[in-house]
Amino acid sequence: MKSNIIGYGSFFHKTDLKKLPAVSNSFLNGYQLFYAGRYALKYVFDALLENYDSAHIWLPQYYCPFVKEWLETAYSNLKYYDIDPFDPHAQIDYSTFSTKDIVLANNYWGLKKNTVPTGARPLIVEDHSHGWLSPGCIESEADLCIASLRKTVPLPLGGIAWKPVRSSLQLSLPQLKSLSNTHEMEVAWELVDTAMTLKANCTTEKDKTQFLKDYGKGEQFLRTTQEILPLNPDHKKVMAQALCKDYNAYKLKNWDTMLALLKGNDAFKVLPKAQGIPFGLLLAFKKEDDLKRLKQHLISKTIYPAELWPKNNIHQDYKFLLNIHIDFRYGKADIAYIASAINEWNN
């Protein structure tokens, strides 16, 4: 499905999704759509705080630094716990938390299934931003779940909060009230939508400079807007239509192709897909300098990976992650080119 665009990776270009088959949304026991995952998360936290006497909100130490900073301006009772983000089998010890706490469990890279204990436990919210429609997402037993959709779904903006069908929480998600006036998130949507359209037809460096500029302007709204704003009805319709498509079949196929071509390298390890759906080709590093050098090498080959996430101080041996996009935009020839670029890197 790749169009003639400059480079591999980065945010999605505008895409016709009619060729992708739909998948079931039966795992959603009621949901709300948002302009970003962070708004879905704040909405869920606010709903729980309003209905339950909660002591602390616990986030994983290894988490998006921008979202951590954004949430810290909204809540004074945030705390952090440690878990290995590069071990798909690592589980949270919920007995270390109070039954009055709220714990955010992250489905790291679509590889993890969170085990929810029986009996007395804290409230559990799961983030499936890098594992939308993965087994851990679909089979969740958490109280509530959220995801940033635009990491998997080719939308200008997008987030979702839902109650899993297996949730035992006696709480329904409240409806967002509509607004009559245009707000900043609608402006952000249009900016990123313009960038995606331009990227889909990009043939010159001038076009590339412009779509990056438009995208950056739209992204800035997310960094500064705290209010949870309702979706424009047109945006909501676009988001709902793109919500449950079979994006993951392409990832699995491309992951298998990539692993057959990729050579071993002492500088990094490839995270195994285990029983999950890998968000991309996930390369974990012990040394940040190795990550930076490979990243620059790939950029020189017009491959644009994502560093997930900088500014996190964790205790594990592997501390840094580079994600290389292998989603539905790419076919066999594209994967072969990316694998060749990685293999020729001399560490």
Side-chain angles (χ1 to χ4, degrees):
M1 295 184 68
K2 180 179 178 296
S3 57
N4 186 28
I5 58 175
I6 293 180
Y8 297 82
S10 187
F11 67 92
F12 289 109
H13 59 270
K14 201 66 170 286
T15 305
D16 181 3
L17 296 176
K18 292 178 181 177
K19 294 182 180 179
L20 269 68
V23 295
S24 173
N25 64 357
S26 60
F27 66 96
L28 301 171
N29 181 19
Y31 67 91
Q32 290 289 315
L33 296 172
F34 303 85
Y35 277 106
R38 67 188 66 188
Y39 299 121
L41 190 55
K42 189 172 186 291
Y43 162 90
V44 163
F45 285 163
D46 287 349
L48 292 176
L49 291 171
E50 186 176 340
N51 288 275
Y52 297 91
D53 181 20
S54 299
H56 297 101
I57 299 173
W58 290 86
L59 305 181
Q61 183 64 47
Y62 194 90
Y63 199 58
C64 176
F66 296 121
V67 176
K68 284 161 70 173
E69 292 169 8
W70 189 85
L71 288 171
E72 284 169 358
T73 66
Y75 303 104
S76 59
N77 60 339
L78 287 182
K79 287 183 175 291
Y80 295 93
Y81 68 91
D82 191 43
I83 187 171
D84 190 341
F86 309 128
D87 179 1
H89 304 293
Q91 291 292 322
I92 301 168
D93 181 1
Y94 288 106
S95 68
T96 61
F97 305 102
S98 163
T99 55
K100 289 188 174 183
D101 287 337
I102 300 170
V103 179
L104 179 68
N106 197 28
N107 176 3
Y108 284 111
W109 333 124
L111 307 179
K112 185 177 288 294
K113 285 186 180 181
N114 178 44
T115 300
V116 175
T118 57
R121 61 168 176 80
L123 291 164
I124 299 171
V125 178
E126 290 178 358
D127 182 347
H128 296 282
S129 293
H130 293 103
W132 175 242
L133 301 179
S134 69
C137 169
I138 292 172
E139 299 169 16
S140 172
E141 297 179 347
D143 296 305
L144 295 170
C145 294
I146 70 100
S148 173
L149 294 171
R150 66 198 185 113
K151 295 186 173 60
T152 298
V153 184
L155 293 164
L157 299 173
I160 186 172
W162 76 94
K163 185 176 177 179
V165 292
R166 301 184 183 187
S167 171
S168 60
L169 187 71
Q170 300 300 308
L171 177 68
S172 297
L173 296 174
Q175 296 290 318
L176 292 178
K177 295 180 179 179
S178 61
L179 295 177
S180 57
N181 298 326
T182 300
H183 52 70
E184 53 263 46
M185 283 297 101
E186 293 181 82
V187 177
W189 175 287
E190 298 304 330
L191 281 166
V192 179
D193 189 59
T194 298
M196 291 173 67
T197 301
L198 187 56
K199 186 178 182 183
N201 302 290
C202 180
T203 57
T204 68
E205 286 297 323
K206 181 179 178 181
D207 288 342
K208 180 179 175 181
T209 299
Q210 184 59 51
F211 75 60
L212 289 174
K213 183 178 179 181
D214 289 338
Y215 182 84
K217 287 180 180 178
E219 186 73 18
Q220 190 57 38
F221 280 104
L222 296 180
R223 304 273 177 93
T224 57
T225 304
Q226 281 282 350
E227 186 179 2
I228 301 173
L229 296 165
L231 266 65
N232 173 294
D234 291 337
H235 299 167
K236 187 174 183 179
K237 182 179 179 181
V238 171
M239 201 180 294
Q241 289 175 340
L243 193 60
C244 290
K245 295 283 189 176
D246 195 1
Y247 304 103
N248 289 331
Y250 290 85
K251 288 183 181 179
L252 286 173
K253 184 177 180 180
N254 286 339
W255 197 89
D256 288 340
T257 301
M258 179 71 76
L259 265 289
L261 297 171
L262 207 60
K263 299 176 182 177
N265 193 300
D266 293 337
F268 59 78
K269 69 174 181 179
V270 179
L271 298 193
K273 66 180 179 183
Q275 301 301 311
I277 308 286
F279 179 61
L281 179 66
L282 303 156
L283 307 181
F285 296 77
K286 293 182 178 180
K287 299 178 181 178
E288 187 176 17
D289 182 61
D290 287 336
L291 180 149
K292 297 292 186 187
R293 289 192 300 109
L294 176 55
K295 183 178 179 180
Q296 288 305 311
H297 168 75
L298 293 175
I299 290 173
S300 74
K301 302 289 185 179
T302 69
I303 300 166
Y304 302 100
E307 185 177 349
L308 302 173
W309 292 285
K311 302 181 182 178
N312 278 299
N313 182 22
I314 58 174
H315 301 112
Q316 287 75 24
D317 288 338
Y318 286 89
K319 302 177 186 295
F320 311 100
L321 186 73
L322 199 64
N323 176 70
I324 299 168
H325 302 85
I326 55 170
D327 51 67
F328 62 87
R329 290 175 284 182
Y330 310 121
K332 269 189 175 182
D334 304 310
I335 298 302
Y337 174 77
I338 296 169
S340 177
I342 297 171
N343 287 337
E344 72 181 31
W345 178 61
N346 182 6
N347 65 304

